[in-house]
Amino acid sequence: MNGFNYVSYVQEVIFAPGALTRLHEAVERLGWQRLMLCASHSMRSEGQVGKVESNLSGKLVAVFENVQPHVQDVQVREALVLASEKKVDAVIGIGGGSPIGMAKAVGFQLNQPIIAIPTTYAGSEMTPVYGITHTDENPARKVTVNDSKIVPRLVIYDPEITLDLHPTLTASTGINALAHCVEALYSKTRNPVSTAVAVDGVRHIDNALLSCYQDGTNLIARADMLLGSHLAGLSLASVSMGLHHGLCHVLGGSAGVPHGMANAIILPHAIRFNADAATAPQLIPAAEAMKVSENGS
């Protein structure tokens, strides 16, 4: 038997339709009094920011609601100033990888707890990593930060707030989740837990992604896909990333390619590139989970 080691994290995960309504109770129980919300403009127009505002009442003291893709350094500095002025004691990110990444960056630099409320399948809510794009460089460069303190302390998964996710984002961030599972399976630091979780994540994603793309209002499929996304992020949280995500971060920072779209483009090429060295034996369980035989039929 080969040895292994991995790091697990202190997190509370609440997963249920309507789970967003439990945010105030969780915040109250954890003793946080002054919170800042990080979100994109679309989260305001789609009503998600308003839901958080009404749920938290007077505890929400600041909203940074124009987060741009790939967590730009200029915006991180702006958000840090706002959070410091308002003396926040926890930072919330709602949306995809960028708003949650912004909350991670601010919370980590201020040494304050982080809350993640994902509305896509990007998986950032489960990992100890965020990336910041250095916009003053030419070309711009995305740099990742990895630390156990970055992992959100509280994660709220509510399938109901994913029902309006556009088909394009459904597909691209869904493939991002699948890529998390694939990379976890052949990571050099894979372990029995990451492997088991990744395979189960593949099973849920394979079962639900096409249904979510075809009919976004299918709550059962949305819940199943969100569960797959959760498992995918969890599988990658305790292992090191490889070539695949490294390339995706470079493409995102330098060329502005959306992270989910970059994952969809790079995934088959990264698998093919790594196949001779490592991936074939490790990916057989993923193929089986997707009901694909070893001969490709």
Side-chain angles (χ1 to χ4, degrees):
M1 174 182 176
N2 295 326
F4 64 90
N5 68 278
Y6 67 93
V7 178
S8 58
Y9 306 98
V10 177
Q11 278 185 297
E12 178 177 355
V13 176
I14 301 174
F15 190 115
L20 186 58
T21 62
R22 297 164 60 180
L23 175 61
H24 186 276
E25 178 273 330
V27 166
E28 188 73 24
R29 173 166 40 80
L30 292 166
W32 302 327
Q33 300 298 322
R34 300 180 61 82
L35 293 95
M36 182 172 87
L37 177 65
C38 299
S40 64
H41 179 72
S42 64
M43 287 290 99
R44 169 68 74 181
S45 61
E46 293 169 9
Q48 310 300 1
V49 170
K51 291 177 183 177
V52 175
E53 288 175 329
S54 61
N55 186 272
L56 287 179
S57 187
K59 290 184 181 293
L60 189 65
V61 298
V63 179
F64 190 87
E65 61 181 79
N66 193 30
V67 176
Q68 300 300 308
H70 301 296
V71 192
Q72 299 175 9
D73 53 356
V74 176
Q75 288 205 311
V76 172
R77 290 192 288 269
E78 293 173 356
L80 282 168
V81 169
L82 178 61
S84 298
E85 289 176 348
K86 296 296 184 178
K87 297 180 171 60
V88 305
D89 58 12
V91 186
I92 307 170
I94 186 170
S98 294
I100 291 175
M102 178 65 75
K104 284 174 156 184
V106 174
F108 176 64
Q109 294 186 47
L110 294 179
N111 197 29
Q112 299 291 4
I114 300 156
I115 303 169
I117 308 172
T119 64
T120 75
Y121 309 122
S124 177
E125 68 278 357
M126 297 307 299
T127 66
V129 179
Y130 67 82
I132 292 183
T133 300
H134 292 240
T135 58
D136 57 346
E137 299 184 23
N138 189 19
R141 183 169 62 99
K142 193 171 183 179
V143 178
T144 57
V145 181
N146 191 317
D147 193 288
S148 60
K149 295 179 182 178
I150 294 169
V151 174
R153 175 65 179 82
L154 174 66
V155 183
I156 303 286
Y157 285 103
D158 186 345
E160 291 181 356
I161 65 174
T162 69
L163 295 176
D164 294 331
L165 185 62
H166 190 275
T168 299
L169 280 174
T170 296
S172 61
T173 64
I175 295 298
N176 187 7
L178 180 63
H180 289 158
C181 297
V182 169
E183 197 153 23
L185 285 170
Y186 65 73
S187 171
K188 289 184 177 181
T189 58
R190 61 187 178 276
N191 59 75
V193 174
S194 65
T195 296
V197 172
V199 172
D200 201 30
V202 171
R203 184 175 295 108
H204 285 280
I205 293 166
D206 179 64
N207 183 60
L209 182 54
L210 181 58
S211 296
C212 291
Y213 179 80
Q214 292 174 334
D215 179 11
T217 64
N218 184 335
L219 182 60
I220 294 174
R222 286 293 193 186
D224 200 25
M225 183 60 216
L226 197 60
L227 176 55
S229 172
H230 162 65
L231 295 171
L234 184 60
S235 72
L236 198 61
S238 63
V239 302
S240 58
M241 298 181 188
L243 174 69
H244 176 99
H245 270 82
L247 287 173
C248 290
H249 283 305
V250 169
L251 286 171
S254 61
V257 180
H259 190 62
M261 196 68 71
N263 272 273
I265 294 169
I266 294 297
L267 180 58
H269 301 288
I271 293 174
R272 188 177 299 112
F273 180 85
N274 285 320
D276 291 339
T279 60
Q282 282 78 42
L283 292 185
I284 289 175
E288 293 171 343
M290 299 176 73
K291 306 176 187 67
V292 176
S293 67
E294 290 186 43
N295 62 14
S297 61

